[in-house]
Amino acid sequence: MSDGIRLTIDGEDYTAECEEIRFGTPRVMYEEDDGTSRKVFVGPAGFHLTLINPTARARALADGRYATRTVTITCQGQRITHPTRFLKDWTTTDGTRKVFGALAWDHSRDARWADEPQLAQA
């Protein structure tokens, strides 16, 4: 069990459902090269977590990204809550079982190309 970390999923305590909880909030990085220097722009933060040697109950969360679950991690007097989809359950070559979850995204808000009305009529 991860020391000092509490994991709650959909209001239920999952802290004891794995040996270790790894998580992060990486930011998307955009790079541009203007020919003389490289510029890096920071985008929005993401969220991911990996449950190490999870129980069968925790492994059952990995449904391939269909269910969105409310995940709360509490540690060191702070808390973070994100909608999360559990994407994959697997076993590494050394026999360690893992479950991976990441920030649930809203596909309707993805950037996408659209036809311009005047071009569609031409």
Side-chain angles (χ1 to χ4, degrees):
M1 182 175 0
S2 296
D3 290 332
I5 297 175
R6 182 167 179 241
L7 174 64
T8 306
I9 301 171
D10 290 339
E12 296 183 39
D13 190 353
Y14 273 74
T15 306
E17 299 292 330
C18 59
E19 289 180 9
E20 183 180 350
I21 303 163
R22 297 179 188 164
F23 59 93
T25 54
R27 291 196 173 267
V28 175
M29 303 295 281
Y30 302 97
E31 295 184 29
E32 290 292 331
D33 186 343
D34 66 6
T36 59
S37 65
R38 192 182 100 205
K39 299 184 183 319
V40 178
F41 302 93
V42 179
F47 174 75
H48 67 84
L49 79 154
T50 303
L51 309 179
I52 308 300
N53 287 324
T55 63
R57 179 180 179 225
R59 287 194 316 268
L61 294 168
D63 66 356
R65 74 166 167 71
Y66 295 104
T68 299
R69 304 185 180 275
T70 301
V71 170
T72 300
I73 296 175
T74 306
C75 67
Q76 299 177 353
Q78 295 188 322
R79 174 178 41 199
I80 188 166
T81 300
H82 278 293
T84 302
R85 291 189 179 142
F86 288 90
L87 307 172
K88 188 159 180 75
D89 165 34
W90 76 99
T91 303
T92 64
T93 56
D94 68 359
T96 303
R97 293 205 69 150
K98 296 183 178 185
V99 169
F100 178 79
L103 181 65
W105 61 95
D106 179 357
H107 290 292
S108 69
R109 300 182 77 187
D110 285 350
R112 50 175 63 72
W113 290 95
D115 291 330
E116 288 288 326
Q118 66 273 20
L119 295 176
Q121 295 171 0

